[in-house]
Amino acid sequence: PFDLEKDIVKYLNEIRQGQADMRFAVRSSAICEDMEFSSMAGIFESYVGLNSIEEVKRAILKCYQSLFSDKALAYICENGIGLDNLRMGVIIQKFIEGEYSGVTFTADTIDMDENVMHINVTNGNCSDFVSGETVSSLYKVDKDSGRVLESCISDQVDKIQDTKISDLSRIFLQVEKLL
């Protein structure tokens, strides 16, 4: 809708604040991505490193379109996920290029242990990891002490010091408390 487009352009110009070289990330977040018995991580689209407002507007549309992609609909049907769970928000952020990126779960989703957090780390941009095109290193961290309990370091990912992982875990716990 025109009013929404106008608001988006206004917002982007406000956060850009005269920095013409600022890049953006447009990320999808759907209710059905992380349900109790299924995970659709990596099925919906997100876009990073966008340079123009036109690229951002196209990326927003593509994110919403990915909610109804063949891959998404097949997964929903195969796993008995109700169509009422097909709701998505799209987040627009300033894109910051990082040396590392990754995915974190503040509970161990493999052994179902709420006292252990999983931090997956990959070099550079995370989109290749989320889509399954590259690997990550996994750090299992005790939530109480911040101590790394176990790590599985990929030879394709630069090793991160345990102290940095511990620092990250403290930040993730702060975020978890906000939710």
Side-chain angles (χ1 to χ4, degrees), residues 39 97 103 108 127 134 146:
S39 173
E97 189 76 45
V103 175
D108 182 330
S127 59
T134 191

Side-chain angles (χ1 to χ4, degrees), residues 1-69:
F2 177 74
D3 287 345
L4 180 58
E5 180 178 348
K6 192 169 84 175
D7 288 343
I8 290 168
V9 170
K10 179 182 172 194
Y11 166 75
L12 293 174
N13 284 324
E14 284 175 9
I15 64 171
R16 188 174 259 169
Q17 299 176 356
Q19 298 176 27
D21 62 341
M22 181 184 287
R23 296 186 303 159
F24 300 99
V26 175
R27 301 181 55 233
S28 61
S29 184
I31 290 175
C32 54
E33 276 186 290
D34 295 306
M35 299 182 78
E36 189 173 348
F37 298 105
S38 67
S39 173
M40 297 181 73
I43 289 183
F44 303 117
E45 296 295 325
S46 289
Y47 299 89
V48 297
L50 305 173
N51 294 305
S52 71
I53 291 174
E54 287 304 313
E55 287 177 317
V56 169
K57 291 189 309 188
R58 278 192 300 277
I60 292 168
L61 289 173
K62 288 180 179 180
C63 283
Y64 282 121
Q65 288 171 345
S66 72
L67 194 57
F68 301 99
S69 70

Side-chain angles (χ1 to χ4, degrees), residues 103-118:
V103 175
T104 297
F105 291 93
T106 57
D108 182 330
T109 57
I110 297 170
D111 295 325
M112 304 311 284
D113 186 345
E114 292 181 12
N115 299 311
V116 175
M117 132 180 356
H118 283 187

Side-chain angles (χ1 to χ4, degrees), residues 79-105:
N79 291 283
I81 298 171
L83 294 178
D84 56 324
N85 289 303
L86 279 178
R87 297 182 198 163
M88 176 183 285
V90 174
I91 302 150
I92 305 167
Q93 301 171 307
K94 176 181 176 182
F95 176 69
I96 300 170
E97 189 76 45
E99 184 179 350
Y100 301 100
S101 60
V103 175
T104 297
F105 291 93

